[in-house]
């Protein structure tokens, strides 16, 4: 499954601002299809105002009389709800687990969100194959609808879209680079006569393990090596 297979379905949505924010969230994360089932009257101007360069999602949104019609062409339907109970589905996945699972199966898939105030009703959830929930603090278990959609869209994006490298993004050195750095540091120290006994290899392993656990990036490792080399040079000149 890929991002084009994901259909965000809003059932009985009532707030225009939320719909606009959802359009933006969907486009932020590479999704493109929004469906509305039995929406309450909405204000297009308010939607476009909140959409912020994502009005095309609203313009291409598909509107249905009921949830059954909105999900009829999907191979699987997932209802989002934090409430459990009789008729409330026995199986529920987090957004992270759901995204990983969907990425391995064919689509299309409908991710259904209920009304802002009441969530999905029992009858709506019965149309779904299983449920999904967002783990939250019990101090405030209710999540804004647009925020919930963004959380799911983010996980789908990470699971289904190839991630391009980000300039400055942290990437820890691999073991080969850690070994090279540890070897260089111990060689510099050896040049100062640091090792009076045959413990250089042991200390090299110590440095390698410390560097690995610290998760130094390539540039950080090179900078650290330069500091040690410079310190050894200065020490030699003083002697």
């Amino acid at each position: 499954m890929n991002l084009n297979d994901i259909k965000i379905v809003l059932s009985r949505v009532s707030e225009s601002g939320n719909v606009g924010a959802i359009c933006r969230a969907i486009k932020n994360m590479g999704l493109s299809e929004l469906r509305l089932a039995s929406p309450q009257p909405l204000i297009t101007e308010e939607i476009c105002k909140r959409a912020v360069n994502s009005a095309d999602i609203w313009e291409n949104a598909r509107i249905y009389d009921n949830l059954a019609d909105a999900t009829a062409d999907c191979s699987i339907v997932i209802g989002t709800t934090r409430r459990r109970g009789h008729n409330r589905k026995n199986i529920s996945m987090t957004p992270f687990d759901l995204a990983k699972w969907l990425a391995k199966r064919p689509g299309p898939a409908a991710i259904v969100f209920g009304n802002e105030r009441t969530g999905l009703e029992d009858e709506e959830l019965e149309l779904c194959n299983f449920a999904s929930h967002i783990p939250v603090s019990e101090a405030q278990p209710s999540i804004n609808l647009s925020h919930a959609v963004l959380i799911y869209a983010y996980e789908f994006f990470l699971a289904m879209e190839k991630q391009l490298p980000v300039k400055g993004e942290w990437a820890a050195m691999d073991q080969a680079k850690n070994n090279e750095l540890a070897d260089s540091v111990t060689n510099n120290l050896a040049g100062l006569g640091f090792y009076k006994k045959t413990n250089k290899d042991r200390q090299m392993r110590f440095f390698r393990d410390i560097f690995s656990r610290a998760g130094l990036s390539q540039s950080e490792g090179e900078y650290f090596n330069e500091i040690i080399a410079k310190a050894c040079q200065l020490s030699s000149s003083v002697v």
Side-chain angles (χ1 to χ4, degrees), residues 1-39:
M1 189 177 298
N2 56 48
L3 292 177
N4 291 330
D5 292 317
I6 300 295
K7 321 300 178 184
I8 299 298
V9 182
L10 308 180
S11 185
R12 298 177 297 106
V13 66
S14 62
E15 297 182 15
S16 302
N18 259 336
V19 175
I22 288 167
C23 290
R24 184 178 185 180
I26 287 174
K27 196 166 184 179
N28 280 153
M29 299 304 159
L31 302 177
S32 59
E33 188 161 346
L34 175 65
R35 299 181 178 187
L36 287 76
S38 305

Side-chain angles (χ1 to χ4, degrees), residues 14-17 40-49 58:
S14 62
E15 297 182 15
S16 302
Q40 297 185 27
L42 300 170
I43 303 172
T44 296
E45 292 77 8
E46 181 65 20
I47 292 173
C48 293
K49 180 181 178 181
W58 168 244

Side-chain angles (χ1 to χ4, degrees), residues 170-187 201-222 224-225:
W170 173 42
M173 293 189 301
D174 57 26
Q175 288 301 300
K177 293 297 183 182
N178 279 324
N179 285 333
E180 290 178 12
L181 177 58
D183 187 56
S184 178
V185 169
T186 51
N187 283 338
D201 290 343
R202 178 183 177 186
Q203 194 163 99
M204 185 178 72
R205 291 192 297 272
F206 168 79
F207 280 127
R208 177 205 63 195
D209 294 344
I210 289 294
F211 297 151
S212 181
R213 291 200 296 271
L216 297 180
S217 68
Q218 180 68 34
S219 60
E220 289 172 333
E222 292 172 353
F224 181 79
N225 194 38

Side-chain angles (χ1 to χ4, degrees), residues 73-220:
D73 63 338
C74 295
S75 66
I76 192 160
V77 182
I78 300 98
T80 60
T81 179
R82 67 180 176 84
R83 292 182 287 143
R84 306 252 67 78
H86 191 63
N87 296 329
R88 297 296 295 180
K89 301 298 180 186
N90 294 322
I91 298 175
S92 182
M93 292 187 184
T94 66
F96 174 83
D97 292 330
L98 176 63
K100 294 294 184 183
W101 183 76
L102 287 177
K104 298 176 182 178
R105 61 160 287 150
I111 315 302
V112 184
F113 299 83
N115 176 266
E116 292 92 333
R117 293 175 177 79
T118 62
L120 287 179
E121 301 291 352
D122 289 352
E123 296 77 12
E124 293 170 317
L125 198 57
E126 284 180 3
L127 295 173
C128 303
N129 302 121
F130 63 88
S132 178
H133 68 282
I134 300 173
V136 292
S137 168
E138 286 301 318
Q140 172 52 292
S142 179
I143 299 179
N144 177 273
L145 177 59
S146 64
H147 296 175
V149 172
L150 179 59
I151 290 171
Y152 279 93
Y154 172 73
E155 294 294 354
F156 296 148
F157 180 74
L158 291 185
M160 301 178 191
E161 186 75 4
K162 182 178 180 181
Q163 304 302 305
L164 298 176
V166 178
K167 184 178 181 180
E169 187 174 16
W170 173 42
M173 293 189 301
D174 57 26
Q175 288 301 300
K177 293 297 183 182
N178 279 324
N179 285 333
E180 290 178 12
L181 177 58
D183 187 56
S184 178
V185 169
T186 51
N187 283 338
N188 275 307
L189 293 175
L192 294 176
F194 188 82
Y195 302 108
K196 301 300 182 181
K197 298 181 180 180
T198 57
N199 62 350
K200 179 185 173 184
D201 290 343
R202 178 183 177 186
Q203 194 163 99
M204 185 178 72
R205 291 192 297 272
F206 168 79
F207 280 127
R208 177 205 63 195
D209 294 344
I210 289 294
F211 297 151
S212 181
R213 291 200 296 271
L216 297 180
S217 68
Q218 180 68 34
S219 60
E220 289 172 333

